[in-house]
Amino acid sequence: MSGNVRLLNDTLAAAKSEGRAALIAYLPAGFPTVDGGIAAIRAALDGGADVVEVGLPHSDPVLDGPVIQTADDIALRGGLKIVDVMRTVREAHEATGKPILVMTYWNPIDRYGVERFTAELAEAGGAGCILPDLPVQESALWREHADKHGLATVFVVAPSSKDARLAEITAAGSGFVYAASLMGVTGTRESVGAQAEDLVRRTRATTGTPVCVGLGVSNAAQAAEVARFADGVIVGSAFVKRMLDAPDDAAGVEGVRTLAADLAKGVRGQA
């Protein structure tokens, strides 16, 4: 069975045709429970997100700040397995028809088996993977299986990336390029900063693949700011924080839905 890279590409192209950036939400699988995580992801999509990244919780999340680390710890202590991540992808996609990616560090895939992981992700209706710690020069095996199963391979670029390195990364990736707006870990910021706009400009000089910006966006005004120069706006910690701060799971899900609606206005310039 083939994955949904084409759906991802079509979704990003449709947003561009509407003269706006796409809204991409991140939420970890298994948080606060597997069922609760699926409900939150559906709420984000129903609220206005175009795409969702499902986080595969990891015990050593080098890119993630304290908010996402807290959610990952809750998921792992709840016994989350990769089969639960696949179920999350399947149910979110089947319920909404929207593209769902998995964001994961390389170690869990390596231990699970690349062929097994890609085949199961495609069977679940997944659109691809974001792999923040997989070096491009070591990614041939992953890309071979991802291509075979119709999955996007999204790599992360940073403000420190030199132009030659950007070209190497974008040539190997597909779906979109994840541009980290600043050096550091995930989390909300007061300002996304000029570094992101410069990184998008330099990345676009190397590729026609959409460039989406993450790390630091937490409200509609920041989403509107990033949407001026990026093809997509990625929001994670702000969604997770809504869940963590809520008095109960139902309120958390509604908080996610409300935030998605606000951010959707931001990427459309209606904030």
Side-chain angles (χ1 to χ4, degrees), residues 248-265:
D248 54 54
D249 292 353
V253 168
E254 284 311 304
V256 166
R257 192 189 315 274
T258 299
L259 178 59
D262 289 344
L263 293 165
K265 291 178 181 177

Side-chain angles (χ1 to χ4, degrees), residues 53-111:
E53 303 171 4
V54 175
L56 196 164
H58 192 264
S59 57
D60 186 24
V62 294
L63 185 69
D64 297 315
V67 170
I68 291 175
Q69 284 189 31
T70 298
D72 281 3
D73 185 57
I74 290 168
L76 292 170
R77 284 192 284 112
L80 183 84
K81 305 295 184 189
I82 288 180
V83 66
D84 301 313
V85 177
M86 298 299 178
R87 179 190 155 207
T88 298
V89 171
R90 177 181 292 105
E91 294 194 13
H93 173 64
E94 288 179 350
T96 64
K98 293 186 178 182
I100 313 293
L101 299 102
V102 169
M103 187 168 188
T104 178
Y105 298 99
W106 179 245
N107 181 260
I109 294 177
D110 191 41
R111 293 188 62 183

Side-chain angles (χ1 to χ4, degrees), residues 9-246:
N9 293 339
D10 290 348
T11 299
L12 294 173
K16 185 175 182 179
S17 73
E18 295 171 11
R20 66 174 180 88
L23 175 60
I24 303 174
Y26 167 95
L27 283 158
F31 167 71
T33 62
V34 176
D35 288 341
I38 293 168
I41 289 164
R42 290 181 59 175
L45 290 164
D46 291 343
D50 299 289
V51 180
V52 158
E53 303 171 4
V54 175
L56 196 164
H58 192 264
S59 57
D60 186 24
V62 294
L63 185 69
D64 297 315
V67 170
I68 291 175
Q69 284 189 31
T70 298
D72 281 3
D73 185 57
I74 290 168
L76 292 170
R77 284 192 284 112
L80 183 84
K81 305 295 184 189
I82 288 180
V83 66
D84 301 313
V85 177
M86 298 299 178
R87 179 190 155 207
T88 298
V89 171
R90 177 181 292 105
E91 294 194 13
H93 173 64
E94 288 179 350
T96 64
K98 293 186 178 182
I100 313 293
L101 299 102
V102 169
M103 187 168 188
T104 178
Y105 298 99
W106 179 245
N107 181 260
I109 294 177
D110 191 41
R111 293 188 62 183
Y112 197 71
V114 177
E115 169 59 23
R116 181 184 177 194
F117 189 94
T118 52
E120 291 184 7
L121 182 56
E123 191 276 328
C129 257
I130 302 158
L131 301 160
D133 67 340
L134 178 64
V136 169
Q137 61 270 27
E138 298 175 20
S139 67
L141 178 65
W142 164 266
R143 288 187 284 127
E144 174 191 342
H145 289 289
D147 290 348
K148 180 172 77 172
H149 290 291
L151 299 170
T153 297
V154 179
F155 290 114
V156 178
V157 298
S160 60
S161 301
K162 305 297 185 186
D163 291 350
R165 178 67 173 160
L166 289 175
E168 182 183 8
I169 292 170
T170 58
S174 56
F176 62 90
V177 182
Y178 187 125
S181 66
L182 39 76
M183 301 302 293
V185 297
T186 58
T188 61
R189 302 290 193 280
E190 292 299 317
S191 173
V192 178
Q195 283 188 111
E197 187 166 3
D198 179 64
L199 177 58
V200 169
R201 177 188 60 76
R202 293 193 298 117
T203 304
R204 278 188 174 149
T206 72
T207 184
T209 302
V211 183
C212 304
V213 171
L215 273 67
V217 177
S218 61
N219 58 51
Q222 290 175 335
E225 176 192 353
V226 173
R228 286 190 301 101
F229 57 81
D231 299 297
V233 179
I234 303 168
V235 181
S237 294
F239 281 115
V240 176
K241 194 169 188 303
R242 289 287 178 107
M243 296 288 290
L244 287 170
D245 290 348

